[in-house]
Amino acid sequence: MRKTLILLFLFIPLLTKAQEYVDVLSVSYSKTEKTSFKNTLDTSNISIFDAKLTLPIVLNQKTALITGFDFSIKELQLFTNTDNTKLFYNRIKLGITSQHSDNWNGTYILLPVVSSDYKKLSFKDIYAGGIALWTYKKNKRLNYKFGVYAGNEAYGFYITPLVGIYYISPSSNFEISALLPGLFDMNYKISSKTKLGIDYKGVSETYKIHEENKKTTYTENRTLESSSYIQNNSLYNNLLLRLKFGFSTNKYDVYTEGDKIDLSITPIKIGDNRIKLNTNLNSSAFLKVEAIYRFDIPSK
């Protein structure tokens, strides 16, 4: 354990610059009850389990390898009057981060993904992706991020430009962390152990679906989640417990395998003439519980 902490002390500043912590492990579970299909009386319950782990391997004072994985299980009805479908998502993180100068550092990560219902796994369920992200340190409380996320999904090739910011006030009571278009978090400390916050997460992923005696299909999840939360770390200083209440758009469109687009440049899809096979789900409220192990970086 002591060796791991030493590795984190060396590694984290390369990733975070002005940011004063890193989330090594996060686990969450959310659920919505009776989300309705549009223009029908049918409903679906949606449950999501999500876990993320990031571990470093330090090479020298300026360079480190990034390793880890993301794992999630989503369960819901994709069609009216059918049983629930379980969707599994596994992503490996393997990359490098390097301090290029006093103000700039770069992070480059390969992100291969296996995502499907796991009924008939094949190489077609594996998608390649990667991210390049550069961070500019303005001062000890503020940094800016610029980058690109690219890869392939069941519908074809995609590119997502990234822009972000991290800011913490001089008192450390107010904090903003964002990497748009996918992530945004803003919180305020109301006591030494408790924070109130709001956050936003944009999800974009695809899953292959294999059914007996049916054509292979895939679902494209393009869900937007916004929530407010209360955070407390009274049990253990580095263990953050969050209770969230939010709103989700629930976009799980199903298409036939091979029904693709020419190119996706977030948020624009070029040559999208696909035929959707299922009925839209309505938006819904959700409740989420979340646990985060956060490693603090000493100010020095």
Side-chain angles (χ1 to χ4, degrees):
M1 180 66 177
R2 181 177 178 85
K3 184 176 180 181
T4 301
L5 295 182
I6 293 172
L7 291 177
L8 288 170
F9 271 113
L10 292 173
F11 169 75
I12 293 167
L14 298 177
L15 284 178
T16 59
K17 305 297 280 183
Q19 197 166 331
E20 297 179 342
Y21 58 81
V22 66
D23 294 338
V24 178
L25 175 66
S26 67
V27 180
S28 67
Y29 178 79
S30 67
K31 189 165 186 177
T32 66
E33 295 287 344
K34 296 183 178 180
T35 302
S36 60
F37 289 88
K38 289 187 176 181
N39 302 318
T40 75
L41 298 177
D42 296 309
T43 62
S44 172
N45 296 333
I46 304 173
S47 63
I48 302 174
F49 171 81
D50 190 69
K52 300 180 186 297
L53 175 69
T54 302
L55 293 174
I57 301 174
V58 176
L59 301 180
N60 54 54
Q61 290 184 343
K62 292 187 176 182
T63 308
L65 293 178
I66 301 172
T67 65
F69 68 87
D70 300 337
F71 173 75
S72 72
I73 303 175
K74 295 178 173 65
E75 186 172 359
L76 73 158
Q77 286 179 238
L78 295 173
F79 295 86
T80 59
N81 299 314
T82 61
D83 294 331
N84 282 358
T85 299
K86 282 189 176 182
L87 304 172
F88 298 87
Y89 186 90
N90 291 272
R91 179 167 65 184
I92 297 172
K93 294 178 277 194
L94 181 59
I96 192 168
T97 182
S98 180
Q99 185 175 341
H100 300 312
S101 68
D102 290 340
N103 296 100
W104 285 95
N105 81 293
T107 303
Y108 315 96
I109 309 174
L110 294 175
L111 299 167
V113 174
V114 181
S115 56
S116 76
D117 57 7
Y118 275 27
K119 291 183 178 179
K120 294 180 181 179
L121 277 177
S122 70
F123 286 107
K124 292 183 179 181
D125 299 332
I126 301 175
Y127 307 107
I131 185 172
L133 187 67
W134 297 272
T135 302
Y136 175 76
K137 180 182 177 182
K138 179 68 174 178
N139 54 53
K140 64 180 181 180
R141 297 190 305 272
L142 175 66
N143 66 38
Y144 302 103
K145 301 176 186 294
F146 312 91
V148 62
Y149 186 80
N152 72 300
E153 291 284 354
Y155 56 73
F157 188 75
Y158 68 90
I159 301 173
T160 303
L162 303 170
V163 60
I165 189 174
Y166 177 82
Y167 171 76
I168 188 166
S169 66
S171 65
S172 297
N173 289 335
F174 178 71
E175 183 182 36
I176 295 176
S177 180
L179 187 61
L180 301 176
L183 299 170
F184 176 84
D185 183 284
M186 181 171 64
N187 59 73
Y188 185 80
K189 184 185 294 184
I190 60 173
S191 73
S192 61
K193 296 291 185 180
T194 304
K195 290 183 177 182
L196 297 178
I198 57 174
D199 67 1
Y200 158 89
K201 181 174 73 170
V203 179
S204 179
E205 57 200 12
T206 58
Y207 300 85
K208 283 288 180 60
I209 302 171
H210 308 277
E211 298 288 349
E212 290 291 338
N213 302 318
K214 293 183 179 180
K215 290 184 178 181
T216 300
T217 58
Y218 68 90
T219 181
E220 181 185 358
N221 176 21
R222 295 178 289 110
T223 296
L224 305 178
E225 297 180 359
S226 58
S227 63
S228 57
Y229 65 85
I230 182 170
Q231 172 185 299
N232 187 270
N233 62 331
S234 296
L235 293 178
Y236 182 65
N237 191 51
N238 293 87
L239 179 62
L240 312 181
L241 301 178
R242 289 179 176 177
L243 178 63
K244 294 184 174 183
F245 179 78
F247 200 73
S248 175
T249 57
N250 302 321
K251 299 291 185 180
Y252 292 88
D253 298 338
V254 178
Y255 304 95
T256 303
E257 181 186 30
D259 198 358
K260 299 187 177 185
I261 64 176
D262 296 333
L263 176 65
S264 174
I265 304 176
T266 305
I268 301 170
K269 284 184 167 59
I270 301 172
D272 187 0
N273 299 310
R274 295 174 297 172
I275 300 174
K276 193 163 70 72
L277 304 178
N278 62 335
T279 304
N280 291 333
L281 280 166
N282 286 316
S283 300
S284 62
F286 68 86
L287 186 68
K288 178 184 287 190
V289 291
E290 190 172 53
I292 301 170
Y293 180 76
R294 176 167 291 177
F295 189 87
D296 295 316
I297 304 168
S299 58
K300 187 174 180 180

